[in-house]
Amino acid sequence: MTTILSWNVNGLRQRHGQNEFLPILQHNPDIVCIQETKTLKEKIPPELKKIYGYQMFCSTVATGNFVETLLFTRKTPVSVQYGFGSRLSDVDGRIIIADFDTFVLMNIYFPLGVGPVDTLEHKLAFFDEFLSCAAHLSESGRAVIICGDFSVAHTDNDVESIKKHAAKQVGTTPAERAKIDSLISKGFTDAFR
Protein backbone atom coordinates (compact mmCIF):
# COMPACT_ATOMS: atom_id res chain seq x y z
CA MET A 1 0.00 0.00 0.00
CA THR A 2 1.39 3.36 -1.05
CA THR A 3 0.37 6.50 0.85
CA ILE A 4 0.18 9.64 -1.28
CA LEU A 5 -0.52 13.14 0.05
CA SER A 6 -1.38 16.05 -2.23
CA TRP A 7 -1.41 19.67 -1.03
CA ASN A 8 -1.76 23.05 -2.67
CA VAL A 9 0.40 24.94 -0.19
CA ASN A 10 -0.31 28.43 -1.62
CA GLY A 11 3.28 29.39 -0.83
CA LEU A 12 5.87 26.81 0.24
CA ARG A 13 8.21 29.15 2.08
CA GLN A 14 5.31 30.63 4.05
CA ARG A 15 4.03 27.18 5.07
CA HIS A 16 7.55 26.10 6.00
CA GLY A 17 8.24 29.35 7.87
CA GLN A 18 5.07 28.86 9.93
CA ASN A 19 6.12 25.26 10.70
CA GLU A 20 3.17 23.86 8.77
CA PHE A 21 5.01 21.85 6.14
CA LEU A 22 7.35 19.39 7.86
CA PRO A 23 4.68 18.14 10.33
CA ILE A 24 2.84 16.40 7.45
CA LEU A 25 5.78 14.04 7.22
CA GLN A 26 4.93 12.73 10.70
CA HIS A 27 2.25 10.70 8.91
CA ASN A 28 5.09 8.92 7.08
CA PRO A 29 3.64 9.23 3.56
CA ASP A 30 5.44 7.46 0.74
CA ILE A 31 4.86 10.33 -1.68
CA VAL A 32 4.01 14.01 -1.15
CA CYS A 33 2.78 16.07 -4.12
CA ILE A 34 2.98 19.84 -3.66
CA GLN A 35 1.38 22.50 -5.84
CA GLU A 36 1.47 26.32 -5.98
CA THR A 37 4.83 26.69 -4.28
CA LYS A 38 5.17 30.34 -5.35
CA THR A 39 8.89 29.71 -4.95
CA LEU A 40 11.92 30.18 -7.16
CA LYS A 41 14.06 27.03 -7.36
CA GLU A 42 16.99 28.75 -5.66
CA LYS A 43 14.69 29.93 -2.82
CA ILE A 44 13.45 26.46 -1.84
CA PRO A 45 14.60 26.14 1.80
CA PRO A 46 17.74 23.95 1.87
CA GLU A 47 16.37 21.72 4.64
CA LEU A 48 13.48 20.75 2.35
CA LYS A 49 15.87 19.65 -0.37
CA LYS A 50 17.41 17.05 1.95
CA ILE A 51 14.61 15.60 4.06
CA TYR A 52 15.84 12.31 5.49
CA GLY A 53 14.40 9.36 3.60
CA TYR A 54 12.93 11.45 0.78
CA GLN A 55 14.08 12.47 -2.67
CA MET A 56 12.83 15.81 -3.96
CA PHE A 57 11.99 16.42 -7.62
CA CYS A 58 11.22 19.79 -9.17
CA SER A 59 11.17 20.92 -12.75
CA THR A 60 13.70 23.20 -14.36
CA VAL A 61 12.18 26.56 -15.21
CA ALA A 62 13.46 29.75 -16.76
CA THR A 63 15.28 32.14 -14.43
CA GLY A 64 12.77 34.22 -12.50
CA ASN A 65 9.92 31.68 -12.83
CA PHE A 66 8.41 29.79 -9.94
CA VAL A 67 8.74 26.03 -9.60
CA GLU A 68 5.01 25.41 -9.12
CA THR A 69 5.12 21.68 -8.30
CA LEU A 70 7.37 19.56 -6.11
CA LEU A 71 7.47 15.83 -5.51
CA PHE A 72 8.89 14.27 -2.35
CA THR A 73 9.15 10.50 -2.47
CA ARG A 74 10.54 7.60 -0.47
CA LYS A 75 10.24 5.37 -3.55
CA THR A 76 12.70 5.94 -6.36
CA PRO A 77 10.84 6.50 -9.62
CA VAL A 78 11.84 4.66 -12.78
CA SER A 79 11.69 7.98 -14.60
CA VAL A 80 10.51 11.55 -14.09
CA GLN A 81 9.15 13.83 -16.80
CA TYR A 82 8.49 17.54 -16.42
CA GLY A 83 5.65 18.35 -18.77
CA PHE A 84 3.50 16.88 -21.50
CA GLY A 85 6.08 17.43 -24.23
CA SER A 86 5.01 20.80 -25.63
CA ARG A 87 6.00 24.44 -25.38
CA LEU A 88 2.52 25.41 -24.18
CA SER A 89 2.63 23.40 -20.97
CA ASP A 90 6.25 22.57 -20.22
CA VAL A 91 7.73 25.97 -19.45
CA ASP A 92 5.93 26.88 -16.24
CA GLY A 93 7.08 24.17 -13.82
CA ARG A 94 3.47 23.00 -13.36
CA ILE A 95 3.87 19.32 -14.22
CA ILE A 96 5.75 16.37 -12.75
CA ILE A 97 5.00 12.90 -14.14
CA ALA A 98 6.76 10.13 -12.21
CA ASP A 99 6.77 6.51 -13.33
CA PHE A 100 6.85 4.18 -10.32
CA ASP A 101 6.64 1.02 -12.46
CA THR A 102 3.34 -0.21 -10.99
CA PHE A 103 1.71 3.20 -11.54
CA VAL A 104 2.34 6.60 -13.08
CA LEU A 105 1.81 9.65 -10.89
CA MET A 106 0.88 13.01 -12.39
CA ASN A 107 1.35 16.00 -10.05
CA ILE A 108 -0.10 19.08 -11.74
CA TYR A 109 -0.89 22.68 -10.87
CA PHE A 110 -3.32 23.76 -13.58
CA PRO A 111 -3.40 27.36 -14.79
CA LEU A 112 -5.99 29.54 -13.08
CA GLY A 113 -7.20 30.96 -16.39
CA VAL A 114 -7.32 34.59 -15.36
CA GLY A 115 -5.61 37.08 -17.72
CA PRO A 116 -3.82 38.92 -18.99
CA VAL A 117 -1.25 36.18 -19.75
CA ASP A 118 -2.92 33.15 -18.20
CA THR A 119 -6.18 33.27 -20.16
CA LEU A 120 -9.12 30.88 -20.12
CA GLU A 121 -8.16 29.81 -23.65
CA HIS A 122 -4.66 28.90 -22.42
CA LYS A 123 -6.17 26.97 -19.50
CA LEU A 124 -8.47 24.99 -21.80
CA ALA A 125 -5.57 24.20 -24.17
CA PHE A 126 -3.51 23.04 -21.16
CA PHE A 127 -6.42 20.79 -20.15
CA ASP A 128 -6.54 19.32 -23.67
CA GLU A 129 -2.84 18.41 -23.48
CA PHE A 130 -3.36 16.94 -20.01
CA LEU A 131 -6.37 14.87 -21.14
CA SER A 132 -4.43 13.55 -24.12
CA CYS A 133 -1.45 12.57 -21.94
CA ALA A 134 -3.63 10.94 -19.25
CA ALA A 135 -5.63 9.03 -21.87
CA HIS A 136 -2.45 7.85 -23.62
CA LEU A 137 -1.00 6.55 -20.35
CA SER A 138 -4.25 4.87 -19.34
CA GLU A 139 -4.87 3.31 -22.77
CA SER A 140 -1.36 1.85 -22.73
CA GLY A 141 -2.46 -0.19 -19.73
CA ARG A 142 -0.77 1.93 -17.07
CA ALA A 143 -2.39 2.64 -13.70
CA VAL A 144 -2.52 6.45 -13.51
CA ILE A 145 -2.89 8.55 -10.37
CA ILE A 146 -3.48 12.27 -10.82
CA CYS A 147 -2.84 14.70 -7.96
CA GLY A 148 -3.04 18.42 -8.06
CA ASP A 149 -5.01 21.59 -8.17
CA PHE A 150 -7.31 21.57 -11.21
CA SER A 151 -8.44 25.18 -10.61
CA VAL A 152 -12.02 24.11 -11.42
CA ALA A 153 -15.10 23.70 -9.24
CA HIS A 154 -16.47 20.65 -11.00
CA THR A 155 -20.07 21.05 -9.76
CA ASP A 156 -22.04 23.64 -7.82
CA ASN A 157 -21.50 21.44 -4.75
CA ASP A 158 -17.79 22.31 -4.95
CA VAL A 159 -18.28 26.01 -4.17
CA GLU A 160 -19.43 27.66 -0.98
CA SER A 161 -22.06 29.77 -2.70
CA ILE A 162 -22.66 29.74 -6.41
CA LYS A 163 -22.74 33.18 -7.98
CA LYS A 164 -25.49 34.38 -10.24
CA HIS A 165 -23.19 34.42 -13.27
CA ALA A 166 -21.19 31.26 -12.47
CA ALA A 167 -21.25 30.13 -16.11
CA LYS A 168 -19.12 33.17 -16.96
CA GLN A 169 -16.85 32.96 -13.89
CA VAL A 170 -13.45 31.37 -14.55
CA GLY A 171 -13.27 28.15 -12.55
CA THR A 172 -16.96 27.35 -12.98
CA THR A 173 -17.53 27.80 -16.72
CA PRO A 174 -19.23 24.98 -18.62
CA ALA A 175 -16.09 24.55 -20.78
CA GLU A 176 -13.87 23.95 -17.73
CA ARG A 177 -16.37 21.63 -16.07
CA ALA A 178 -16.64 19.68 -19.33
CA LYS A 179 -12.88 18.95 -19.13
CA ILE A 180 -13.38 17.25 -15.75
CA ASP A 181 -16.39 15.38 -17.15
CA SER A 182 -14.18 14.23 -20.03
CA LEU A 183 -11.56 12.91 -17.61
CA ILE A 184 -14.18 10.95 -15.68
CA SER A 185 -15.69 9.61 -18.90
CA LYS A 186 -12.27 8.10 -19.72
CA GLY A 187 -12.61 5.85 -16.66
CA PHE A 188 -10.92 8.00 -14.02
CA THR A 189 -12.47 8.28 -10.56
CA ASP A 190 -12.60 11.34 -8.31
CA ALA A 191 -11.15 9.80 -5.14
CA PHE A 192 -12.21 12.81 -3.06
CA ARG A 193 -15.87 12.07 -3.79
Side-chain angles (χ1 to χ4, degrees), residues 64-130:
N65 287 0
F66 291 154
V67 172
E68 291 290 11
T69 54
L70 292 176
L71 179 68
F72 296 90
T73 178
R74 289 185 180 283
K75 300 177 175 226
T76 301
V78 174
S79 65
V80 178
Q81 174 183 327
Y82 303 103
F84 302 132
S86 79
R87 288 187 67 209
L88 170 70
S89 59
D90 295 358
V91 296
D92 295 333
R94 293 177 173 275
I95 305 157
I96 300 175
I97 303 171
D99 185 339
F100 288 96
D101 192 38
T102 57
F103 65 93
V104 176
L105 176 71
M106 302 175 83
N107 179 24
I108 306 172
Y109 176 50
F110 287 78
L112 191 56
V114 177
V117 176
D118 186 14
T119 63
L120 179 58
E121 291 75 22
H122 171 258
K123 180 179 186 176
L124 295 173
F126 185 99
F127 258 100
D128 288 340
E129 288 189 6
F130 155 71

Side-chain angles (χ1 to χ4, degrees), residues 9-23:
V9 294
N10 191 18
L12 178 67
R13 289 181 302 146
Q14 178 182 351
R15 294 288 163 254
H16 180 60
Q18 295 173 345
N19 197 32
E20 296 171 346
F21 182 76
L22 289 176

